[in-house]
Amino acid sequence: MNLLWLQGLTCSGNTQSFLCAENPSADEVLGMFEVLFCPFSSWEVDMEEVILKLLRRREELNVLILEGAVGGSDHRVCKRSFAEVVRELSRRADYVIALGNCAVFGNIPAKYDQEVKGLQYRFKQMGGVLGRDFRSRSGLPVINLSGCPAHPSWLSYVLLQILSQRKIELDELGRPKELYAYLTHHGCIRNEYFEWKVEAEELGKKEGCLFYYFGCKGPMTHSSCNRILWNGLSSKTRVGMPCVGCTEYDFPREGMLETRHLMGIPDELPLGVSKRGYILISGIAKTFAPERLKKRLMDEDSKETAQQD
Ligand code: SF4
Ligand code: SF4
C-alpha cells in the first residue's frame, strides 16, 4: 500500500507528535507502507514531482494524509491551487485522513481567514474543501483525527486498521469511535475530586478537579487522552493542566483556562448533565466530601520536618 503525507497550513505539530510514537514507532508504522512522500522522511524526494506523477494518473494512491488546513486561492502547490490538488488527490485515494485539528476543522488558521477550511469541515459546518458528500474510494468519508496535535497512537491505530483491512467505525464528526467515543474525563485521576466537588485552587498541583475554576473541558471533550497516555506516561489533567478541548470543532476558544458561571453554575455542564441535576448532586457531594480529599496528598510540613531531621 502506498501513502502520501502532505502539509497544508500547519505548525507541524502533528508531525512532531507522530515522531514520538512508541510501540510501534513512526518508522515502524511508515515502514509498512510504500511512502511516496512524507515531510520528515523523504529527504531525497521532490514532493511536487510525486504530486504531478499522481495527478497524471501514473500511480494509484492508497492513503492520503493531510496535516494542516487548506488555504484560499493564494495557497498553491505545483503552480495550482492547493485546494484543487487536494480535491483531485482525495478523489483518487482509497483512504483520506485529516490529521490534527487544522486539517479537520480549520482550527487557528481558519480563525483569521474566512477562506481557510478543513478537509470536510470548517469548524462545525460540514462541507470543507471536499464537500459534505465526499467519500474516498473505500466508501468512507474523511477519517478525522482531530486534536492539537493528534496523539501519535491515534494515527498508528488508523493506519494499522487500514493495513489489516479492518472496519473503522466513525462518529458523526468522522472520528474513529474506538478513539473518540471516550471523554478526556474517562480515566482522569482527578475523578474522585470531581465527584465530591473538591476543586483545584491552583494549576499544576496534584490535588483537586480543574472543572469549576479552570475551565477543564474533560467532561465534554471526546478524546482518549487519559486512556492512551501521552508518551505512555501522562496527560494534561494528570499534571494539573485543564483539558482545553482541542479535539472539538470549537477549539480554540476565548478564555480557555477559566470557567464562566451564572449564579455559581458553570455555563457549560458535563455532557448529558442537566442544570437541576448538577445543582442537586454537587450540593450533596460538597457537603459529604471525605476529609482526606480536602488535604494535600503529600503533607508538605512533615516533608520539611523529615528533611530537617
Ligand atoms: S480535571 Fe477535568 S477531566 Fe479530570 S476529573 Fe476534573 S473535570 Fe474531569
Ligand atoms: S487533554 Fe484535552 S486539550 Fe489535551 S490533548 Fe487531550 S483533548 Fe486535547
Side-chain angles (χ1 to χ4, degrees):
M1 266 197 172
N2 66 20
L3 176 151
L4 175 69
W5 181 319
L6 294 182
Q7 289 184 313
L9 307 175
T10 177
C11 67
S12 302
N14 293 280
T15 286
Q16 294 295 334
S17 173
F18 190 58
L19 284 169
C20 297
E22 288 175 316
N23 301 321
S25 67
D27 262 5
E28 286 168 326
V29 176
L30 292 183
M32 298 180 210
F33 291 83
E34 181 200 344
V35 178
L36 302 177
F37 179 81
C38 167
F40 56 88
S41 63
S42 307
W43 308 118
E44 288 162 15
V45 181
D46 184 328
M47 181 192 72
E48 296 211 340
E49 253 175 43
V50 173
I51 294 175
L52 288 171
K53 209 164 156 191
L54 282 164
L55 293 177
R56 288 184 202 124
R57 294 180 184 269
R58 289 211 200 127
E59 275 185 69
E60 62 172 21
L61 181 57
N62 300 120
V63 181
L64 171 65
I65 299 175
L66 178 73
E67 173 185 14
V70 181
S73 48
D74 55 349
H75 185 187
R76 300 179 73 76
V77 66
C78 302
K79 299 194 179 120
R80 291 174 61 178
S81 116
F82 186 68
E84 240 178 71
V85 169
V86 163
R87 266 194 289 267
E88 215 168 313
L89 291 176
S90 299
R91 274 199 292 270
R92 298 227 183 126
D94 293 327
Y95 298 92
V96 178
I97 300 172
L99 179 61
N101 209 301
C102 297
V104 176
F105 298 119
N107 202 24
I108 296 171
K111 276 241 158 199
Y112 302 99
D113 187 339
Q114 283 301 317
E115 280 195 289
V116 173
K117 294 173 183 165
L119 275 181
Q120 214 162 12
Y121 282 87
R122 187 176 192 283
F123 299 111
K124 197 180 182 179
Q125 199 183 350
M126 206 184 178
V129 172
L130 299 179
R132 57 183 307 127
D133 298 326
F134 170 82
R135 296 288 180 274
S136 64
R137 294 202 315 172
S138 64
L140 286 177
V142 176
I143 301 170
N144 282 333
L145 293 177
S146 57
C148 193
H151 191 295
S153 301
W154 302 348
L155 177 59
S156 303
Y157 165 81
V158 168
L159 290 177
L160 295 177
Q161 291 291 103
I162 290 174
L163 211 55
S164 51
Q165 300 194 327
R166 290 206 198 100
K167 201 168 171 201
I168 304 170
E169 296 274 359
L170 302 178
D171 71 8
E172 71 282 3
L173 293 174
R175 303 173 297 192
K177 284 187 183 168
E178 190 59 46
L179 304 169
Y180 293 87
Y182 300 85
L183 300 175
T184 312
H185 192 61
H186 294 151
C188 177
I189 53 175
R190 294 168 193 268
N191 265 316
E192 201 184 8
Y193 293 106
F194 177 86
E195 282 155 20
W196 292 104
K197 297 294 302 152
V198 177
E199 301 298 334
E201 290 181 8
E202 272 178 83
L203 293 175
K205 294 280 188 245
K206 297 181 193 306
E207 304 85 4
C209 169
L210 301 148
F211 177 68
Y212 195 78
Y213 294 121
F214 295 112
C216 184
K217 300 279 286 180
M220 40 297 223
T221 297
H222 294 90
S223 90
S224 31
C225 290
N226 277 311
R227 192 175 67 95
I228 304 173
L229 297 175
W230 289 78
N231 292 329
L233 283 176
S234 199
S235 69
K236 280 195 183 77
T237 61
R238 288 187 180 213
V239 295
M241 161 73 190
C243 168
V244 290
C246 77
T247 52
E248 299 297 343
Y249 63 81
D250 55 350
F251 177 84
R253 267 163 265 97
E254 299 292 317
M256 283 199 291
L257 299 187
E258 60 190 60
T259 307
R260 278 190 296 200
H261 302 95
L262 186 62
M263 292 167 59
I265 305 166
D267 280 2
E268 268 191 275
L269 292 176
L271 281 184
V273 174
S274 67
K275 266 198 180 141
R276 203 158 150 245
Y278 180 83
I279 298 169
L280 202 72
I281 290 182
S282 60
I284 297 172
K286 220 177 173 74
T287 313
F288 295 103
E291 278 309 307
R292 71 184 157 79
L293 291 182
K294 297 178 190 163
K295 293 185 186 149
R296 301 293 307 268
L297 281 170
M298 292 184 214
D299 188 333
E300 296 299 317
D301 294 339
S302 60
K303 239 169 59 186
E304 272 163 31
T305 319
Q307 271 161 12
Q308 279 162 16
D309 292 347

